[in-house]
């Protein structure tokens, strides 16, 4: 029994209902988003970023990073930055100069995250999971399917979150 007290936060032990409800709601919303998007495995890195956003929205629904400006703005900025780097390095001139070096892809991915951090902080759209979007776009490469997935997912999650937010509580 002492192990259970050590593993579970006392807030869960005293009132497990909001934890179960909010985790279930997160499952339902993310499942619906992924079904609508018909996600392919090649988008798994970006899907992980959307999964992390779902965590923020349903575990800390009243935090500043859960508001639509941060969720939608952060993902769209990260998408723009990752896309710019992915497109610029895939031009024929860039390929001739730089080749298909894995070192280049690693540097681009790290640069996309760093620029994303800077731009999100400078524009008050900080959303940590969006850093995964920037990285995912560079790793995956630019595609309109990816743009549509990120934008529509961020909007759908924010919309549902805004509707149920008054009934949710921060679980941490």
């Amino acid at each position: 029994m002492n192990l259970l007290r050590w593993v579970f936060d006392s807030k869960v032990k005293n009132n497990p209902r909001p934890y179960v409800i909010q985790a279930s709601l997160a499952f339902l919303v993310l499942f619906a988003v992924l079904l609508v998007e018909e996600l392919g495995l090649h988008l798994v890195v970006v899907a992980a970023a959307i999964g992390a956003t779902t965590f923020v929205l349903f575990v800390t629904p009243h935090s500043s990073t859960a508001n639509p400006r941060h969720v939608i703005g952060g993902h769209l900025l990260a998408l723009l930055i990752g896309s710019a780097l992915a497109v610029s390095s895939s031009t024929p001139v860039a390929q001739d100069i730089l080749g298909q070096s894995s070192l280049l892809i690693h540097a681009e991915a790290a640069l996309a995250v760093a620029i994303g951090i800077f731009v999100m902080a400078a524009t008050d759209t900080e959303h940590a999971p969006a850093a995964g979007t920037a990285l995912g776009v560079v790793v995956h490469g630019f595609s309109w399917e990816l743009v549509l997935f990120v934008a529509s997912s961020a909007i759908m999650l924010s919309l549902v979150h805004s509707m149920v937010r008054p009934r949710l509580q921060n679980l941490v």
Side-chain angles (χ1 to χ4, degrees), residues 36-115:
V36 168
E37 301 296 341
E38 294 185 23
L39 183 65
L41 285 178
H42 62 284
L43 295 177
V44 76
V45 174
V46 177
I50 297 301
T53 291
T54 305
F55 177 89
V56 168
L57 294 177
F58 291 96
V59 173
T60 59
H62 300 284
S63 70
S64 64
T65 60
N67 75 45
R69 175 186 176 91
H70 291 256
V71 173
I72 297 168
H75 279 292
L76 291 181
L77 285 171
L79 183 61
L80 180 68
I81 291 161
S83 295
L85 285 167
V87 168
S88 68
S89 67
S90 67
T91 64
V93 173
Q95 290 298 313
D96 286 345
I97 295 170
L98 303 169
Q100 293 281 31
S101 170
S102 64
L103 181 61
L104 173 67
I105 293 170
H106 297 315
E108 285 176 336
L111 185 59
V113 171
I115 292 170

Side-chain angles (χ1 to χ4, degrees), residues 117-156:
I117 289 169
F118 175 81
V119 173
M120 282 188 272
T123 59
D124 191 29
T125 56
E126 304 91 350
H127 186 67
T133 295
L135 180 121
V137 174
V138 171
V139 170
H140 174 270
F142 176 81
S143 76
W144 287 109
E145 177 186 23
L146 183 69
V147 170
L148 183 61
F149 171 73
V150 171
S152 62
S153 296
I155 291 167
M156 285 191 288

